[in-house]
Amino acid sequence: MKRLLCLLILAFLCFRVYAQSDSIRAQKLLQRINHERMARGISALTNSFPLNAIAQSHASDLARHNMRGHTGSDSSKLVDRLQRIHYSVRAAAENAAYGFLQPLKVLKQMMGSTEHRANILNPYLTEAGVGLAVNDSSNFRYYWVVTFARPSE
């Protein structure tokens, strides 16, 4: 029991995931994404609780395992993560970024990627969720995921 407690304390000290300030940063990224969309005459994305959960879960998984990309540590893809929570969509996309704490820098990184920029500016996508995880002992420290979707109606 004492060993388990020590391990839990060590895990807590070494790995921090989704503190309140991270939630605020995640929402600021969505605000900046919506600013980019609206500046081009594209409707703002609606903040989606289920998509926030999916994005946060994937960001935490990447941070925990010191990974990058759109495939989870369990080999899941975005479609798998959507199906797990029974979130039915007509279309979905995912952006991921690493290494930056500030939402503006994350947005600049995403807008510099042809694929990520296309996701951000896709007028067919109507909802989004943002996740930010931090692992101070990983290669990138900050792990961002934005999940976009157009739900089935």
Side-chain angles (χ1 to χ4, degrees):
M1 181 69 177
K2 194 173 190 179
R3 182 175 178 209
L4 178 61
L5 182 59
C6 288
L7 287 173
L8 288 173
I9 291 170
L10 180 62
F12 177 77
L13 293 174
C14 293
F15 185 67
R16 177 177 65 92
V17 176
Y18 213 56
Q20 180 65 28
S21 62
D22 297 337
S23 175
I24 292 167
R25 283 187 180 93
Q27 293 314 304
K28 284 186 179 181
L29 178 58
L30 182 57
Q31 289 171 356
R32 291 190 178 277
I33 287 170
N34 279 332
H35 178 78
E36 290 290 329
R37 289 171 63 95
M38 291 185 302
R40 292 165 175 79
I42 304 166
S43 297
L45 296 161
T46 301
N47 187 8
S48 165
F49 179 77
L51 295 180
N52 281 322
I54 289 171
Q56 184 58 49
S57 175
H58 187 52
S60 296
D61 182 45
L62 294 174
R64 189 175 302 110
H65 293 94
N66 197 23
M67 296 171 50
R68 291 176 46 155
H70 300 285
T71 303
S73 63
D74 61 354
S75 300
S76 65
K77 303 286 187 187
L78 175 57
V79 66
D80 302 314
R81 294 187 284 277
L82 290 164
Q83 288 173 349
R84 280 183 196 151
I85 66 164
H86 307 287
Y87 193 82
S88 180
V89 297
R90 289 186 177 183
E94 182 177 75
N95 287 4
Y98 318 94
F100 297 107
L101 176 61
Q102 298 306 321
L104 181 58
K105 289 184 180 182
V106 174
L107 180 63
K108 285 182 180 180
Q109 182 184 31
M110 288 182 178
M111 291 297 282
S113 159
T114 303
E115 183 179 293
H116 288 167
R117 180 184 179 92
N119 292 340
I120 290 169
L121 301 178
N122 184 338
Y124 190 70
L125 300 170
T126 59
E127 296 184 353
V130 180
L132 167 60
V134 180
N135 181 346
D136 294 330
S137 63
S138 71
N139 292 340
F140 302 102
R141 192 171 184 192
Y142 304 107
Y143 295 77
W144 293 82
V145 174
V146 183
T147 304
F148 304 92
R150 181 181 191 99
S152 297
E153 297 178 55

